[in-house]
Amino acid sequence: MRSVKFFFFCLVIATLTACDNESGSEKVDFDREAFLVNMADQVVRPSIENFATKAEVLTSASVAFNEDVSESNLSGFRDALKATWLSYQHLAFVQVGPVATVNLRDRVNIFPTSVEKIEENITSGNYTLGAASNVAAKGFPALDYLLFGTGISEADVVAYFADQELGPNRKEYLQALVADIQSVATSMAGSWGDYRSGFVENLGTDAGSGTSLLVNEFNFQFDIRIKNAKIGFPSGGNPRTGGILSPEKVEAYYSAWSGELAEAAVKASLAVFKGENFTSGENGLGMDDYLTALDAKTRDDEDLSTVIINQINASLDEMEKIDEPYSVVASQEGSQLVTVYNALQAVIPLIKVDMPSAMSVSITFQDNDGD
Amino acid sequence: MTVIKNRLSYYFNQQKHIAPLATFRVAFGVMMLASIIRFWWNGWISKQYIEPQFFFTYFGFDWIKPLGDPGMYILFTIMAIAALGIILGAFYRWSATIFFITFTYVELIDKTNYLNHYYFVSIIAFLLIMVPAHHAYSVDAWRKPTLKNFYVPAWFIHIIMLQLGMVYFFAGIAKLNPEWIFEALPLKIWLPSRADSPIIGPLLDYKWIAFFFSWFGALYDLSIPFFLLWRKTRFAAYITVIAFHFMTAALFQIGMFPYIMVICTLIFFSEGFHRSLWNRFFPEGGNALPKPANQTFSPVLKYFFIIYFLVQIILPFRYAFYSGNLFWTEQGYRFSWRVMLMEKVGHTQFTVTIPQENKAFEVYPHEYLTPVQHKMMNTQPDMILQFAHYLRDKFEQEYASNAEVFVESYAAVNGKGSRPFINPEINLATLKRGYQHKHWILPYQQ
C-alpha cells in the first residue's frame, strides 16, 4: 500500500508543480456558440438572402429584356448583373452548407469564360449547363460576355440579340444562364434554415465543424479565387510566372468591372473575418475575436488578428490606387497589380498557416497522432 | 560476476507459464482484427490506398505499390485471416508472418498515413513471429499434441514487456523538451479546441489544464513501465493506464491506439493472474508442469535480439546526426515514438517552369493529392521533394523538355508563427532523395 501511495504522491507533486505557473489561472475566454450563431445569423444567412434578392431582380431584368430587346432593358439587365455579381463576392467567402452543396464558386463564377463554347452552345441550341464541359460557359462571366462582349456599343449588343437568325437562340441561352443562377439562389435560401441548427451546435474544430469549414473556405476563396484568379494570373504576379501577362484572364473582362469586383471581394474578406453584421456592418464575434481569445501571435509576437486586418487593408489601399480596368493594367509588365498580388500574398501564410494552427482546425477524420 | 551471470541467465531462461503470452496473443489479435474491420468500415482502404493518384513512398521502398481494386481488399482480407490465425493460434507462425508482411506492406505504401502506433503494430507482429505463443491454448496445440507445452522460457515474455516499456519510455523522453514542459505546447493549442467535449470540456479552456496534462503525460510515459513492473504498484498503475488512454481517446483523433495499449499492457500482470484467467476456460493448464529440457535461449536469437534492441535504442536519437531544429526539418522524426508532440501547419505554392519553352505554371497540389496527403506534405520536407519530383516527371513527359520545380512555402511549429520553410530559389527537380542532410530547408528563424 505504501508504494501505491508513493505513486500517487508523485502524481500530486507533478500536478502542483505544473500549476505553480504564473499563467495558471488564465483561460481561453471565448463563446464558441455565440461566434457560430453570429456567423450563421448575421453573416451567412443575410448574405444568402441578399444574393437571392439580387438574383430575383436579375431574373426580372432578363425576362424584360427577352420580351423587349431594347437599349433601356439592356441597361437594366446590366445593372442587375453587376448587383448580383457584387453580392456574390461576399457569399463566396462562406461557402458552407447549402452554399457548398450548390458549389457556388464553380457554378456561377468560373473565368475566363469560353466564348467559343458559348457560341457553340448557342448555335447548336443543345447543351446541358450542368455538364462539366460547360463550367466556363455559364454564370456571371458568360453573362458578362453576352451583355458586353457581343458589341461595342449598346446598340451593337441589342442588334446581336435581335438577329433574325440566331437571336432567338441567343436570348434562350441568356435565359438559361439566368435561370441557372436563380435556381442556385433559390436552393441556398431554401435550405439554410435546416442546415443552421447543426452548424451552430458543433462547437469543435473537427473536419466538418462550422469553425473548420469557415476557415478552410475563407482561405480557399482568398488564396485561389482572389489572389490568384483575380490578380495573379492576369498580371503574371507570381514571380515565377513573370513575363506571362494574360490580361484577358481578368474577372469581368468585357464589362471592365474587374477592379470594383475585386475590391468588393477583399472588403468582404475583412467583413467575414471580423464577423461583421452583413446588414448593419456592426462588428460581431468573428474569426478575429477567436484568434484574440486564443492569444494568437505572429512570429514577431504581434497580435495575429491585427496583423491580418492591417495586411488586408494594405492590399486594399494598393487596389484603390488603380483606376483603370484590370485588363488594361495587366497588359503592362510589372504593373500595379503585381504590387497588389504581393500585398495579398503576404496575407496567405497568416491565414493559411498561423490561423489554422492557432485554432487547431482539422481537415480529415483519419487517425492522427500529432504530425 | 558469476552470481550476476547466473541471475541473468535465470531471468532469461527460467521456465514461465505461457498464460501471459497466450493472453497477449489473443488480445493483440483481437485488436488487430477489430482495427482491420474498422478501417474497412470507414472506407479508408479506398480513400487511402485506391483513390490517390500519387503515393509518398519511403526512400528505398519505392517498389512497394498499392494493389488497386480489388487487390487492396484482397490484401486486407488476407491480413484479417492472419489476425484470426493469431487469435486462435492456428498455423501460428505462418499467421504471424503473413500478418506482419501484409500489415507492414500496407504501411509502407504511403508515409502520409504514418502513425507511431502502426509502427508499433508492425514491430510487435514481428516479435510475435519468433515467440511460441501458440504452444498452449491454441488450435495448433490441439491439432499437434506434441507441440503442447504450458511453459516457455521467460525471455519470450520479457522481450515484449521490454518493447512496450521502451515505447512508453522513449515517448516520455521525447516530451522532455522546453516547449512541452515550460509552455505546455502543443496541448495548450489542442485542448481548447476540444472544449466542446462532454464533462471535462469546459476545463480544457484553462491553461493550467494544459500544463497538468503535459506534465502528467511526460511523467506517465517515463514511469509507467516501472510502476507496471513492480508488483506493489501494478494495480494502481494499470488503473492509470486505463484512465490515461481513455482520456486521450476521448480528446484526440488517435483511433485504436489507446485501446491497443490498454490491452497490451496486460502482459505486465503476473503469471498467476493470467493463469486464473485461462483456467476458467481450460482448467488443464493450471496444474501443468514444465517439460524437462525445454527450449533455452538459442545463441542466434540471443545475438539477434541484442542487435534488435540496440537499434531500437539508437533510432530515436538518430536526429542528433542532423543539424537544425528537429521539429522544423523532421530529419529523424519518424520511428522514434514522438507522439502528439507538436502542432505543425504548412503551406506550399509550387511553380513548374519549362525553360526551353519559356513557360511557367503555378500548380495546385490539391488537384493531385488527397486533402490528408496535401496537409502532410505541407509540413514535411521529404514529402515536398517527392511531390516536386512527381511534378517534374509529369511536366517533362508532357512537354518532352526539362522542367524546373520551385516551391514557396511557410510553416509554423507549435503556434509560434509562420516562417519561410523551403528555399524558394532552389530547383527541387535536380535534388536527390535520401538520408543526407537537407540543406535546402531554410534554417528555423527565431
Side-chain angles (χ1 to χ4, degrees), chain A residues 206-242:
Chain A
D206 290 334
S209 66
T211 308
S212 168
L213 291 175
L214 284 170
V215 169
N216 285 315
E217 293 302 323
F218 179 88
N219 287 345
F220 185 86
Q221 175 66 10
F222 198 98
D223 187 15
I224 310 289
R225 292 297 163 87
I226 295 190
K227 187 204 79 185
N228 283 355
K230 294 191 209 279
I231 314 290
F233 294 155
S235 66
N238 183 321
R240 301 239 171 251
T241 49

Side-chain angles (χ1 to χ4, degrees), chain A residues 1 3-4 6-8 10-11 14-15 17-19 21 23-30 32 202-207 220 223-225 227-229 233 238-242 244 290 294-295 297-300 341 345 348-350 352-354 356-371, chain B residues 38 44 48 113 115-118 182 189-190 192-196 205-208 211-212 215-216 219 227 230 232-233 236-237 240 253-256 333 339-347 349 351 353 358-362 364 366 371-372 375-376 406 408 410-412 415-420 424-425 445:
Chain A
M1 264 324 275
S3 319
V4 179
F6 175 71
F7 178 70
F8 280 107
C10 291
L11 291 184
T15 315
T17 331
C19 289
N21 186 295
S23 63
S25 59
E26 288 172 26
K27 68 173 287 202
V28 175
D29 198 3
F30 188 68
R32 294 174 179 84
N202 184 346
L203 304 182
T205 55
D206 290 334
F220 185 86
D223 187 15
I224 310 289
R225 292 297 163 87
K227 187 204 79 185
N228 283 355
F233 294 155
N238 183 321
R240 301 239 171 251
T241 49
I244 302 171
Y290 194 7
L294 290 167
D295 197 26
K297 302 275 196 234
T298 66
R299 56 180 281 209
D300 300 321
Y341 177 89
Q345 175 65 24
I348 300 304
L350 301 171
K352 290 192 97 167
V353 179
D354 297 71
S357 174
M359 292 182 183
S360 183
V361 293
S362 308
I363 51 150
T364 168
F365 293 104
Q366 197 173 315
D367 296 345
N368 186 339
D369 68 358
D371 302 306
Chain B
R38 169 178 177 263
W44 289 345
Q48 297 179 25
N113 306 315
L115 292 184
N116 285 288
H117 94 248
Y118 291 149
F182 299 118
I189 299 172
W190 288 339
S193 78
R194 313 297 310 188
D196 62 321
D205 271 333
Y206 286 92
K207 282 190 184 140
W208 67 265
F211 277 95
F212 173 75
W215 282 64
F216 181 83
L219 201 76
F227 285 124
W230 195 8
K232 290 176 176 172
T233 51
T240 317
Q253 220 166 290
I254 47 179
M256 297 291 288
Y333 193 85
V339 190
M340 307 299 289
L341 210 52
M342 64 166 167
E343 159 69 29
K344 194 172 181 184
V345 177
H347 170 66
Q349 194 175 317
T351 308
T353 61
N358 199 16
K359 281 191 169 145
F361 308 90
E362 183 177 341
Y364 294 140
H366 69 251
V372 184
K375 178 188 152 77
M376 289 297 172
F406 299 88
E408 186 170 347
Y410 299 88
K416 301 245 171 195
S418 55
R419 292 154 163 80
E425 305 299 328
Q445 298 173 9

Side-chain angles (χ1 to χ4, degrees), chain B residues 321-340:
Chain B
F321 294 110
Y322 297 102
S323 62
N325 178 330
L326 170 65
F327 287 5
W328 184 247
T329 68
E330 298 200 33
Q331 302 188 102
Y333 193 85
R334 296 185 195 101
F335 308 109
S336 305
W337 312 118
R338 299 180 205 282
V339 190
M340 307 299 289

Side-chain angles (χ1 to χ4, degrees), chain B residues 234-266:
Chain B
R234 189 174 298 138
F235 183 70
Y238 192 69
I239 298 292
T240 317
V241 167
I242 294 175
F244 176 83
H245 285 300
F246 275 75
M247 180 74 93
T248 57
L251 289 178
F252 304 112
Q253 220 166 290
I254 47 179
M256 297 291 288
F257 183 64
Y259 311 110
I260 292 174
M261 290 311 266
V262 164
I263 292 287
C264 282
T265 41
L266 278 174

